[in-house]
mmCIF file of all heavy atoms in Angstrom:
data_model
loop_
_atom_site.group_PDB
_atom_site.id
_atom_site.type_symbol
_atom_site.label_atom_id
_atom_site.label_comp_id
_atom_site.label_asym_id
_atom_site.label_seq_id
_atom_site.Cartn_x
_atom_site.Cartn_y
_atom_site.Cartn_z
ATOM 1 N N THR A 1 84.836 14.845 96.419
ATOM 2 C CA THR A 1 85.618 15.047 95.199
ATOM 3 C C THR A 1 85.461 13.877 94.241
ATOM 4 O O THR A 1 85.447 14.064 93.020
ATOM 5 C CB THR A 1 87.103 15.243 95.549
ATOM 6 O OG1 THR A 1 87.220 16.289 96.516
ATOM 7 C CG2 THR A 1 87.914 15.611 94.319
ATOM 8 N N PHE A 2 85.354 12.657 94.781
ATOM 9 C CA PHE A 2 85.118 11.491 93.931
ATOM 10 C C PHE A 2 83.911 11.744 93.029
ATOM 11 O O PHE A 2 83.975 11.597 91.802
ATOM 12 C CB PHE A 2 84.843 10.255 94.780
ATOM 13 C CG PHE A 2 86.067 9.666 95.412
ATOM 14 C CD1 PHE A 2 85.958 8.694 96.370
ATOM 15 C CD2 PHE A 2 87.329 10.098 95.054
ATOM 16 C CE1 PHE A 2 87.086 8.147 96.971
ATOM 17 C CE2 PHE A 2 88.463 9.565 95.636
ATOM 18 C CZ PHE A 2 88.327 8.584 96.596
ATOM 19 N N ASN A 3 82.786 12.123 93.647
ATOM 20 C CA ASN A 3 81.553 12.335 92.887
ATOM 21 C C ASN A 3 81.669 13.527 91.949
ATOM 22 O O ASN A 3 81.215 13.482 90.804
ATOM 23 C CB ASN A 3 80.373 12.533 93.841
ATOM 24 C CG ASN A 3 79.980 11.257 94.553
ATOM 25 O OD1 ASN A 3 80.200 10.165 94.035
ATOM 26 N ND2 ASN A 3 79.429 11.379 95.737
ATOM 27 N N ALA A 4 82.294 14.608 92.461
ATOM 28 C CA ALA A 4 82.379 15.825 91.647
ATOM 29 C C ALA A 4 83.259 15.631 90.422
ATOM 30 O O ALA A 4 83.026 16.244 89.379
ATOM 31 C CB ALA A 4 82.908 16.982 92.495
ATOM 32 N N GLN A 5 84.281 14.776 90.531
ATOM 33 C CA GLN A 5 85.231 14.597 89.437
ATOM 34 C C GLN A 5 84.893 13.438 88.514
ATOM 35 O O GLN A 5 85.588 13.228 87.521
ATOM 36 C CB GLN A 5 86.633 14.385 90.009
ATOM 37 C CG GLN A 5 87.227 15.628 90.629
ATOM 38 C CD GLN A 5 87.445 16.729 89.609
ATOM 39 O OE1 GLN A 5 87.911 16.494 88.506
ATOM 40 N NE2 GLN A 5 87.074 17.939 89.970
ATOM 41 N N LEU A 6 83.846 12.676 88.835
ATOM 42 C CA LEU A 6 83.505 11.543 87.981
ATOM 43 C C LEU A 6 83.211 11.941 86.535
ATOM 44 O O LEU A 6 83.517 11.185 85.616
ATOM 45 C CB LEU A 6 82.307 10.783 88.571
ATOM 46 C CG LEU A 6 82.661 9.814 89.698
ATOM 47 C CD1 LEU A 6 81.405 9.253 90.322
ATOM 48 C CD2 LEU A 6 83.537 8.685 89.208
ATOM 49 N N PRO A 7 82.607 13.121 86.278
ATOM 50 C CA PRO A 7 82.396 13.497 84.873
ATOM 51 C C PRO A 7 83.684 13.753 84.100
ATOM 52 O O PRO A 7 83.681 13.745 82.885
ATOM 53 C CB PRO A 7 81.563 14.789 84.984
ATOM 54 C CG PRO A 7 80.956 14.742 86.333
ATOM 55 C CD PRO A 7 81.939 14.042 87.199
ATOM 56 N N SER A 8 84.771 14.014 84.811
ATOM 57 C CA SER A 8 86.019 14.376 84.142
ATOM 58 C C SER A 8 86.679 13.148 83.518
ATOM 59 O O SER A 8 86.698 12.073 84.107
ATOM 60 C CB SER A 8 86.971 15.035 85.140
ATOM 61 O OG SER A 8 88.223 15.248 84.568
ATOM 62 N N LYS A 9 87.241 13.340 82.345
ATOM 63 C CA LYS A 9 87.981 12.243 81.705
ATOM 64 C C LYS A 9 89.271 11.944 82.455
ATOM 65 O O LYS A 9 89.699 10.806 82.524
ATOM 66 C CB LYS A 9 88.268 12.600 80.247
ATOM 67 C CG LYS A 9 87.016 12.666 79.382
ATOM 68 C CD LYS A 9 87.363 12.960 77.937
ATOM 69 C CE LYS A 9 86.116 12.987 77.076
ATOM 70 N NZ LYS A 9 86.413 13.283 75.655
ATOM 71 N N ASN A 10 89.901 12.991 82.995
ATOM 72 C CA ASN A 10 91.118 12.800 83.786
ATOM 73 C C ASN A 10 90.750 12.773 85.264
ATOM 74 O O ASN A 10 91.117 13.645 86.039
ATOM 75 C CB ASN A 10 92.113 13.928 83.493
ATOM 76 C CG ASN A 10 92.566 13.926 82.064
ATOM 77 O OD1 ASN A 10 92.792 12.869 81.483
ATOM 78 N ND2 ASN A 10 92.697 15.106 81.483
ATOM 79 N N TRP A 11 89.999 11.751 85.631
ATOM 80 C CA TRP A 11 89.486 11.640 86.999
ATOM 81 C C TRP A 11 90.627 11.655 88.001
ATOM 82 O O TRP A 11 91.599 10.918 87.864
ATOM 83 C CB TRP A 11 88.667 10.361 87.121
ATOM 84 C CG TRP A 11 87.926 10.212 88.410
ATOM 85 C CD1 TRP A 11 87.116 11.130 88.990
ATOM 86 C CD2 TRP A 11 87.932 9.064 89.258
ATOM 87 N NE1 TRP A 11 86.607 10.624 90.150
ATOM 88 C CE2 TRP A 11 87.090 9.362 90.344
ATOM 89 C CE3 TRP A 11 88.554 7.815 89.218
ATOM 90 C CZ2 TRP A 11 86.851 8.460 91.367
ATOM 91 C CZ3 TRP A 11 88.322 6.921 90.233
ATOM 92 C CH2 TRP A 11 87.476 7.237 91.290
ATOM 93 N N LEU A 12 90.502 12.529 89.031
ATOM 94 C CA LEU A 12 91.432 12.640 90.152
ATOM 95 C C LEU A 12 92.771 13.276 89.798
ATOM 96 O O LEU A 12 93.551 13.573 90.689
ATOM 97 C CB LEU A 12 91.710 11.268 90.795
ATOM 98 C CG LEU A 12 90.502 10.465 91.249
ATOM 99 C CD1 LEU A 12 90.962 9.202 91.947
ATOM 100 C CD2 LEU A 12 89.616 11.273 92.158
ATOM 101 N N LYS A 13 93.064 13.507 88.523
ATOM 102 C CA LYS A 13 94.364 14.068 88.160
ATOM 103 C C LYS A 13 94.387 15.589 88.260
ATOM 104 O O LYS A 13 95.448 16.179 88.364
ATOM 105 C CB LYS A 13 94.757 13.654 86.742
ATOM 106 C CG LYS A 13 95.227 12.204 86.647
ATOM 107 C CD LYS A 13 95.824 11.915 85.293
ATOM 108 C CE LYS A 13 96.409 10.514 85.240
ATOM 109 N NZ LYS A 13 97.031 10.211 83.944
ATOM 110 N N GLN A 14 93.214 16.215 88.229
ATOM 111 C CA GLN A 14 93.158 17.669 88.193
ATOM 112 C C GLN A 14 92.910 18.285 89.566
ATOM 113 O O GLN A 14 92.705 19.480 89.688
ATOM 114 C CB GLN A 14 92.058 18.113 87.218
ATOM 115 C CG GLN A 14 92.272 17.609 85.805
ATOM 116 C CD GLN A 14 91.105 17.926 84.901
ATOM 117 O OE1 GLN A 14 90.042 18.308 85.348
ATOM 118 N NE2 GLN A 14 91.303 17.768 83.609
ATOM 119 N N VAL A 15 92.908 17.482 90.618
ATOM 120 C CA VAL A 15 92.587 17.994 91.942
ATOM 121 C C VAL A 15 93.631 17.518 92.950
ATOM 122 O O VAL A 15 94.344 16.549 92.720
ATOM 123 C CB VAL A 15 91.187 17.524 92.392
ATOM 124 C CG1 VAL A 15 90.114 18.135 91.526
ATOM 125 C CG2 VAL A 15 91.090 16.007 92.359
ATOM 126 N N GLU A 16 93.672 18.212 94.070
ATOM 127 C CA GLU A 16 94.514 17.801 95.185
ATOM 128 C C GLU A 16 93.625 17.153 96.236
ATOM 129 O O GLU A 16 92.843 17.829 96.897
ATOM 130 C CB GLU A 16 95.252 19.009 95.774
ATOM 131 C CG GLU A 16 96.489 19.410 95.009
ATOM 132 C CD GLU A 16 97.557 18.325 94.998
ATOM 133 O OE1 GLU A 16 97.695 17.610 96.001
ATOM 134 O OE2 GLU A 16 98.234 18.186 93.965
ATOM 135 N N LEU A 17 93.721 15.851 96.370
ATOM 136 C CA LEU A 17 92.915 15.128 97.343
ATOM 137 C C LEU A 17 93.691 14.979 98.657
ATOM 138 O O LEU A 17 94.905 14.759 98.632
ATOM 139 C CB LEU A 17 92.558 13.736 96.803
ATOM 140 C CG LEU A 17 91.521 13.724 95.684
ATOM 141 C CD1 LEU A 17 91.454 12.347 95.050
ATOM 142 C CD2 LEU A 17 90.157 14.113 96.202
ATOM 143 N N PRO A 18 92.996 15.076 99.798
ATOM 144 C CA PRO A 18 93.690 14.966 101.101
ATOM 145 C C PRO A 18 93.980 13.525 101.496
ATOM 146 O O PRO A 18 93.684 13.105 102.616
ATOM 147 C CB PRO A 18 92.696 15.636 102.059
ATOM 148 C CG PRO A 18 91.359 15.398 101.449
ATOM 149 C CD PRO A 18 91.570 15.437 99.958
ATOM 150 N N PHE A 19 94.550 12.743 100.568
ATOM 151 C CA PHE A 19 94.918 11.361 100.882
ATOM 152 C C PHE A 19 95.930 11.321 102.029
ATOM 153 O O PHE A 19 95.805 10.542 102.971
ATOM 154 C CB PHE A 19 95.528 10.672 99.659
ATOM 155 C CG PHE A 19 94.506 10.201 98.662
ATOM 156 C CD1 PHE A 19 94.809 10.133 97.308
ATOM 157 C CD2 PHE A 19 93.248 9.819 99.063
ATOM 158 C CE1 PHE A 19 93.877 9.696 96.389
ATOM 159 C CE2 PHE A 19 92.306 9.376 98.156
ATOM 160 C CZ PHE A 19 92.621 9.325 96.811
ATOM 161 N N LEU A 20 96.956 12.177 101.926
ATOM 162 C CA LEU A 20 98.022 12.158 102.922
ATOM 163 C C LEU A 20 97.501 12.577 104.297
ATOM 164 O O LEU A 20 97.915 12.025 105.316
ATOM 165 C CB LEU A 20 99.164 13.082 102.493
ATOM 166 C CG LEU A 20 99.821 12.767 101.143
ATOM 167 C CD1 LEU A 20 100.987 13.704 100.886
ATOM 168 C CD2 LEU A 20 100.278 11.318 101.082
ATOM 169 N N GLU A 21 96.571 13.551 104.326
ATOM 170 C CA GLU A 21 96.017 13.991 105.595
ATOM 171 C C GLU A 21 95.168 12.894 106.227
ATOM 172 O O GLU A 21 95.218 12.677 107.442
ATOM 173 C CB GLU A 21 95.167 15.251 105.399
ATOM 174 C CG GLU A 21 95.958 16.495 105.071
ATOM 175 C CD GLU A 21 96.355 16.583 103.609
ATOM 176 O OE1 GLU A 21 96.086 15.606 102.865
ATOM 177 O OE2 GLU A 21 96.932 17.605 103.202
ATOM 178 N N PHE A 22 94.399 12.189 105.409
ATOM 179 C CA PHE A 22 93.535 11.140 105.954
ATOM 180 C C PHE A 22 94.339 9.926 106.414
ATOM 181 O O PHE A 22 94.092 9.368 107.484
ATOM 182 C CB PHE A 22 92.510 10.715 104.897
ATOM 183 C CG PHE A 22 91.624 9.582 105.341
ATOM 184 C CD1 PHE A 22 90.677 9.772 106.328
ATOM 185 C CD2 PHE A 22 91.764 8.321 104.783
ATOM 186 C CE1 PHE A 22 89.866 8.726 106.754
ATOM 187 C CE2 PHE A 22 90.966 7.268 105.190
ATOM 188 C CZ PHE A 22 90.004 7.477 106.182
ATOM 189 N N LEU A 23 95.304 9.533 105.620
ATOM 190 C CA LEU A 23 96.087 8.352 105.950
ATOM 191 C C LEU A 23 97.245 8.650 106.904
ATOM 192 O O LEU A 23 97.757 7.736 107.555
ATOM 193 C CB LEU A 23 96.656 7.729 104.661
ATOM 194 C CG LEU A 23 95.626 7.168 103.678
ATOM 195 C CD1 LEU A 23 96.309 6.759 102.379
ATOM 196 C CD2 LEU A 23 94.891 5.983 104.280
ATOM 197 N N GLY A 24 97.645 9.920 106.989
ATOM 198 C CA GLY A 24 98.783 10.267 107.824
ATOM 199 C C GLY A 24 100.087 9.719 107.279
ATOM 200 O O GLY A 24 100.972 9.324 108.040
#
């Protein structure tokens, strides 16, 4: 998702990243 969203101006704001799942 990092790579896929890099073109976006609102990087990381338009997606749900599994931060909570990875970090627990």
Side-chain angles (χ1 to χ4, degrees):
T1 307
F2 284 169
N3 289 333
Q5 289 296 317
L6 279 173
S8 173
K9 293 183 178 179
N10 297 321
W11 188 50
L12 306 184
K13 285 190 175 181
Q14 301 174 347
V15 294
E16 279 297 325
L17 287 169
F19 281 150
L20 301 184
E21 289 81 355
F22 177 70
L23 295 172

